[in-house]
Amino acid sequence: MYRLIFIISMIWLCNVSCSDDHMPEPDINKTAYIKIRQNLFRSATMVDEDNLESEQTIKTIALFLTEPSSTKIVYKYINIGSMDMDKYKQVTLPLQESELGKKDIYLITNYGSTNLSAVETMDDIKKLNTPAVDKNHVLDPNEGFCMYGKLLNFDFTNTNSSAIVNAERTCAKYKITLTFPENPVLSTDNTFVIANEASYTHIVDGLRGGIQDSDYFNIASPLALEPDGSGKYMNTVYMYEAEKAPQIYVYTRINNSSVKQEFSVDLPVPYRNYMYDIDIQIYENYNSRTTRADIKEPQYSIKTTVKTYLSNH
């Protein structure tokens, strides 16, 4: 008798536990999210001399979604937060993954006062320019570099992957170092000016052309090359991507002379998210001297070495 009751009880428990009403339902209504990650200038390290914390400032974020291979924007999210130095930022969308399906995703950050509310198609995005700079107000990392990124044909219903969009800076970084190898203290008063710098670029990559000649400028006031204590004089500047190569003019007072000497050299063409190490060396040319007021003065020559680094995801 007891054995029969036990068997009946086991059958009843099995029916309860195996009932369709109590089976866990597949999670088909998960909230969709997108992760934003920055392409760094040189290495994967978040903070070093190549990737300063200030360079990773993001003050404004906008996302645009289209159907795959379509130009019409079906969802757009403007001014959806900010981002300081971090591995990534997660943006939660007011939609379910099942609603989105597959989408092309486009990202713009640090767009300043640019009006994005009227953007309806990808053609509209391709017409957008970065916030402008000028001879009195050059690119400042603390204000946030305009960035652009995209992720195409992403399937939000694929639970095995995450929507990660890499933000790429629309400017290049130039690390400038001046030395006097034969005499490290030959001059302690060193400045420079950048010429032929673009005042803006197109936000979308691959559209470097179309910047008018009148939209290039020369920096109004010389910038200091600061001593680092080891005989080097350094500074860092940033320039928007452009077709034309900028020039650098270095001004130095040799042996504390009252007369500044000028040296100039072409810099590499700025490509977005590239970093250039510019090593400028000034040498005395012992085989060439000038005579002024019965005094023989040496001539000086300039040697420049450029190292180029691509961005690293």
Side-chain angles (χ1 to χ4, degrees):
M1 179 68 179
Y2 290 107
R3 184 179 179 185
L4 180 60
I5 292 173
F6 175 76
I7 294 172
I8 293 172
S9 299
M10 290 297 295
I11 294 172
W12 182 81
L13 286 171
C14 183
N15 286 338
V16 170
S17 63
C18 297
S19 170
D20 288 342
D21 294 336
H22 294 81
M23 287 290 289
E25 294 184 1
D27 193 356
I28 59 175
N29 290 318
K30 291 177 63 177
T31 300
Y33 62 87
I34 295 172
K35 292 182 179 179
I36 299 171
R37 185 172 61 189
Q38 297 190 50
N39 282 4
L40 303 182
F41 274 121
R42 180 176 178 181
S43 68
T45 305
M46 291 306 295
V47 178
D48 57 20
E49 64 178 358
D50 298 325
N51 299 296
L52 304 177
E53 184 173 349
S54 60
E55 295 168 349
Q56 301 175 53
T57 299
I58 291 181
K59 295 187 174 183
T60 53
I61 300 171
L63 286 167
F64 304 88
L65 279 68
T66 71
E67 301 296 342
S69 302
S70 172
T71 61
K72 183 179 180 181
I73 294 169
V74 292
Y75 298 108
K76 61 181 174 182
Y77 307 97
I78 302 171
N79 298 331
I80 54 175
S82 59
M83 175 179 175
D84 291 324
M85 181 207 68
D86 205 346
K87 292 183 178 179
Y88 67 86
K89 177 182 178 66
Q90 181 168 299
V91 177
T92 302
L93 303 182
L95 293 167
Q96 305 300 316
E97 292 178 343
S98 56
E99 293 180 81
L100 287 170
K102 289 185 178 181
K103 291 291 183 291
D104 289 346
I105 307 168
Y106 301 91
L107 165 72
I108 301 175
T109 75
N110 294 329
Y111 39 85
S113 59
T114 303
N115 181 13
L116 300 179
S117 60
V119 172
E120 299 294 340
T121 67
M122 280 305 301
D123 289 336
D124 294 335
I125 291 181
K126 290 178 180 179
K127 295 176 183 177
L128 296 174
N129 295 327
T130 58
V133 293
D134 58 44
K135 63 181 182 179
N136 297 306
H137 187 87
V138 295
L139 275 171
D140 182 351
N142 292 293
E143 296 177 3
F145 297 133
C146 185
M147 305 183 198
Y148 174 75
K150 62 185 178 183
L151 176 62
L152 304 181
N153 201 31
F154 180 77
D155 188 355
F156 281 92
T157 63
N158 183 356
T159 58
N160 294 322
S161 62
S162 300
I164 301 176
V165 185
N166 290 304
E168 190 173 66
R169 299 171 181 87
T170 56
C171 63
K173 177 179 181 177
Y174 294 79
K175 293 172 59 180
I176 300 166
T177 302
L178 172 67
T179 57
F180 305 91
E182 298 168 322
N183 182 359
V185 294
L186 188 63
S187 174
T188 58
D189 182 7
N190 305 294
T191 58
F192 71 100
V193 165
I194 299 295
N196 205 37
E197 178 178 345
S199 59
Y200 66 88
T201 193
H202 305 296
I203 289 179
V204 176
D205 57 329
L207 301 177
R208 296 168 52 244
I211 300 176
Q212 303 298 315
D213 290 346
S214 58
D215 292 326
Y216 288 81
F217 65 90
N218 300 345
I219 293 177
S221 301
L223 303 174
L225 285 160
E226 302 289 352
D228 74 341
S230 68
K232 297 179 180 179
Y233 301 86
M234 309 175 72
N235 206 330
T236 300
V237 293
Y238 307 87
M239 287 180 258
Y240 279 134
E241 181 178 56
E243 283 186 302
K244 295 184 177 182
Q247 295 87 39
I248 184 171
Y249 290 83
V250 175
Y251 301 94
T252 181
R253 297 184 189 274
I254 302 294
N255 290 320
N256 296 317
S257 169
S258 60
V259 179
K260 279 192 174 184
Q261 294 208 34
E262 177 187 277
F263 301 88
S264 64
V265 65
D266 286 343
L267 294 176
V269 173
Y271 284 88
R272 64 180 58 207
N273 222 45
Y274 274 53
M275 188 179 76
Y276 305 98
D277 276 341
I278 312 297
D279 185 13
I280 299 173
Q281 299 176 335
I282 295 179
Y283 293 87
E284 182 177 343
N285 187 346
Y286 293 99
N287 296 321
S288 176
R289 291 175 175 264
T290 59
T291 300
R292 182 171 59 88
D294 297 327
I295 299 175
K296 287 188 175 181
E297 295 183 342
Q299 289 288 298
Y300 295 90
S301 60
I302 184 172
K303 177 183 177 181
T304 304
T305 303
V306 178
K307 294 181 180 178
T308 302
Y309 303 95
L310 305 179
S311 64
N312 194 328
H313 293 224

